[in-house]
Amino acid sequence: MKTIQFREAVCEAMSEEMRRDESIYLMGEEVAEYNGAYKASKGMLDEFGPKRVIDTPIAELGFAGIAVGSTMTGNRPIVEYMTFNFSLVGIDQIINNAAKIRQMSGGQFKCPIVFRGPTASAGQLGATHSQAFESWFANTPGLKVVVPSNPYDAKGLLKSAIRDDDPVIFMESEQMYGDKGEVPEGEYTIPLGVAEVKREGTDVTIVSFGKIIKEAYTAADELAKEGISCEIIDLRTVRPMDQETILKSVKKTNRLVVLEEAWPFGNVSTEITYIVQSKAFDYLDAPIVKINTADTPAPYSPVLLAEWLPNSDDVIKAVKKVLYK
């Protein structure tokens, strides 16, 4: 094993796959000459050249369309958005073309493409640069949605996403690129659609994904001091969702808290809540509690932003609520 940063895990995954398959290329703003806005493509221009690592204008709709079209001529593009907030400019290409090509062509064309970049908040970036769109994309048939929380998962999942023959939304975080973690020296992949129990427990199940899961780990450490045992599941892939891992855990602990950095209406945690109450209702000893952001655009003020975001104290309160403590 070796210890690398999240950004290095992303770079390694892309580089290894591009060495393996010449039809893969990377396209986006500042991915080439600048080595990536977050240095996640450092050194790739030097290795693969400007035909496979392509700097684009600030025109997300345009380069998303070029990339989607190129899949129909045998290419496997990776499109980097500087943030998924900017993907809204090109979302027509993602929702109306990438997600629908296979069906609308009667299976004649597949669309092997990865759209990747950071999601959700990253400090004081204002309301328009602090949004989580996992549930938006996950609502769309034809798209797979992946949100890793550590370097090991990021590398293994990104390699699988690049090899997938359907469009994959791969969502990172500006606040995770410097995170360090152990990654195998050799080749490995992690299958899409498989969650992982990151921490075994007996009293309550906490389901989360992405960078906000760190708040669940912090809360679990504090709760352990009070004798409360938390089982933490990292979804890793939002769609397809690993329902079985969630249901198995809930049947063991009989209580569920879902932590997600997203607006509270119609999000991923809402879907998890529905799945569990419909398939494991008789196992529940308390109502499910979901923890989300406030139902407002993200504030710029650091004081208000801290109140807006879910934190470990919110998780502790939720766990004690489902335990009636």
Side-chain angles (χ1 to χ4, degrees):
M1 302 289 279
K2 59 184 178 181
T3 300
I4 61 174
Q5 291 184 329
F6 193 105
R7 60 168 57 88
E8 293 172 307
V10 170
C11 186
E12 284 190 5
M14 293 190 294
S15 297
E16 288 175 14
E17 292 305 298
M18 287 175 69
R19 293 180 197 121
R20 187 184 61 83
D21 185 344
E22 291 188 356
S23 70
I24 301 168
Y25 68 90
L26 172 65
M27 171 186 281
E29 296 155 4
E30 298 186 347
V31 299
E33 296 288 347
Y34 193 65
N35 287 311
Y38 312 106
K39 300 298 181 278
S41 53
K42 187 175 182 180
M44 291 181 65
L45 174 63
D46 293 338
E47 179 174 356
F48 300 105
K51 288 188 177 181
R52 296 185 67 197
V53 181
I54 305 166
D55 275 332
T56 67
I58 304 174
E60 288 81 3
L61 179 62
F63 65 77
I66 290 169
V68 171
S70 78
T71 67
M72 291 186 279
T73 59
N75 293 288
R76 307 181 73 91
I78 304 167
V79 174
E80 178 180 311
Y81 290 119
M82 198 175 293
T83 155
F84 265 97
N85 297 282
F86 303 151
S87 75
L88 299 190
V89 182
I91 201 168
D92 178 62
Q93 290 293 337
I94 301 172
I95 303 298
N96 281 329
N97 290 331
K100 296 177 175 61
I101 283 173
R102 184 187 286 272
Q103 186 195 48
M104 293 183 71
S105 69
Q108 295 179 80
F109 294 110
K110 57 188 179 183
C111 189
I113 186 171
V114 175
F115 298 96
R116 51 157 294 268
T119 184
S121 66
Q124 290 178 262
L125 297 179
T128 58
H129 288 191
S130 303
Q131 302 167 107
F133 295 114
E134 292 89 326
S135 61
W136 285 33
F137 291 114
N139 184 250
T140 305
L143 297 180
K144 297 176 181 177
V145 181
V146 180
V147 194
S149 66
N150 60 77
Y152 174 84
D153 288 349
K155 182 176 179 181
L157 289 165
L158 182 52
K159 287 170 71 71
S160 293
I162 294 168
R163 296 181 188 186
D164 201 281
D165 283 338
D166 289 310
V168 179
I169 308 296
F170 194 90
M171 309 181 98
E172 303 153 12
S173 168
E174 288 130 300
Q175 292 182 323
M176 287 198 298
Y177 286 120
D179 288 359
K180 293 182 179 181
E182 288 191 338
V183 170
E185 292 280 358
E187 167 78 11
Y188 76 99
T189 60
I190 297 172
L192 306 186
V194 179
E196 184 177 27
V197 177
K198 296 292 190 181
R199 178 172 178 149
E200 298 277 353
T202 56
D203 295 328
V204 60
T205 298
I206 303 173
V207 177
S208 190
F209 58 90
K211 79 172 193 295
I212 203 69
I213 199 172
K214 296 177 185 179
E215 300 298 323
Y217 296 141
T218 301
D221 288 340
E222 289 301 311
L223 288 163
K225 297 174 184 177
E226 301 179 36
I228 298 171
S229 174
C230 300
E231 181 148 298
I232 299 178
I233 295 174
D234 188 342
L235 277 185
R236 303 197 295 190
T237 303
V238 170
R239 182 164 185 170
M241 186 181 293
D242 184 356
Q243 298 184 21
E244 291 308 310
T245 295
I246 299 169
L247 292 170
K248 182 180 178 181
S249 178
V250 170
K251 288 176 182 179
K252 178 176 72 171
T253 67
N254 310 116
R255 292 170 173 85
L256 175 62
V257 171
V258 189
L259 171 63
E260 177 189 8
E261 183 183 339
W263 295 311
F265 188 90
N267 53 30
V268 176
S269 51
T270 304
E271 181 67 16
I272 294 170
T273 300
Y274 173 77
I275 290 166
V276 173
Q277 68 82 30
S278 64
K279 296 184 177 182
F281 181 81
D282 290 339
Y283 290 88
L284 290 170
D285 287 342
I288 299 165
V289 175
K290 67 189 190 83
I291 308 167
N292 301 123
T293 68
D295 196 14
T296 69
Y300 178 75
S301 159
V303 177
L304 293 177
L305 183 62
E307 287 295 314
W308 183 82
L309 278 168
N311 57 44
S312 59
D313 288 339
D314 296 327
V315 178
I316 290 170
K317 291 174 185 175
V319 167
K320 290 185 175 180
K321 182 176 181 179
V322 299
L323 288 169
Y324 302 109
K325 291 190 175 183

